[in-house]
Amino acid sequence: MANKRHNVISKNEVYMLIARIIAKRSKDPNTQVGAVIVSEDDRILSVGYNGFPNGISDDDPSYDWADRDINSSNNKYLYSTHAEANAILNYRGDIRDLKNATLYVTLFPCNECAKMVIQTGISHIIYLSDKYHDSTSSVASRKMFGTTHTKFTQYESSIDDKADMINSIMVLGSSPKYRNLSADQENLNSLIEDWYNDILNYIR
């Protein structure tokens, strides 16, 4: 149809944006990760973020989010569940629906999550950050993905894409604060962070 709007954000941008918003639900003070599983026919199947298992309060002092000492029995890594695992476990449909799905995640999967991804048949991982690229866990993940022909692609978005992304979202589009953003704004990243938080407050 003629006269349609052309400056729309891509599907990849939409799904990664959702993953980044979901990550904001994590109580981890150091690393917040979000994940979105999308079916072959572009349906969002499930979402997840890193956090403690159901039934364990984030405010329980016996579970310390700040404890990162791997030699401590109270370190957070022993108790937290990663975003990818939670997204898979949160799905309430037939697990076979995840076959050939795409996982959008804000951090490259660890080896444990990689095994879950492979076992469920997810065929493509689109990830944002790869800050642990040289860790043994990430090396193992890439090895398993390569062996099982599970595709993994790093998501890249220019600063212009980020500005267009916010300008294209209509939920808070009436706010003057987020109108007509440009790539050369010094405070653009700060505005993006504010916008994420405003979106979270809006949907709560």
Side-chain angles (χ1 to χ4, degrees), residues 108-144:
F108 187 79
C110 72
N111 62 303
E112 293 298 326
C113 288
K115 288 185 280 188
M116 292 188 69
V117 166
I118 292 167
Q119 289 297 83
T120 56
I122 291 172
S123 61
H124 190 188
I125 298 93
I126 298 178
Y127 61 95
L128 187 62
S129 171
D130 194 18
K131 66 179 181 177
Y132 301 118
H133 181 273
D134 295 325
S135 69
T136 54
S137 176
S138 292
V139 170
S141 294
R142 290 195 297 274
K143 181 178 180 179
M144 288 187 286

Side-chain angles (χ1 to χ4, degrees), residues 21 61 66 89 97 102 119-120 133 139 170 179:
I21 292 174
L89 294 169
D97 294 341
T102 298
Q119 289 297 83
T120 56
H133 181 273
V139 170
M170 302 306 294
R179 284 185 194 157

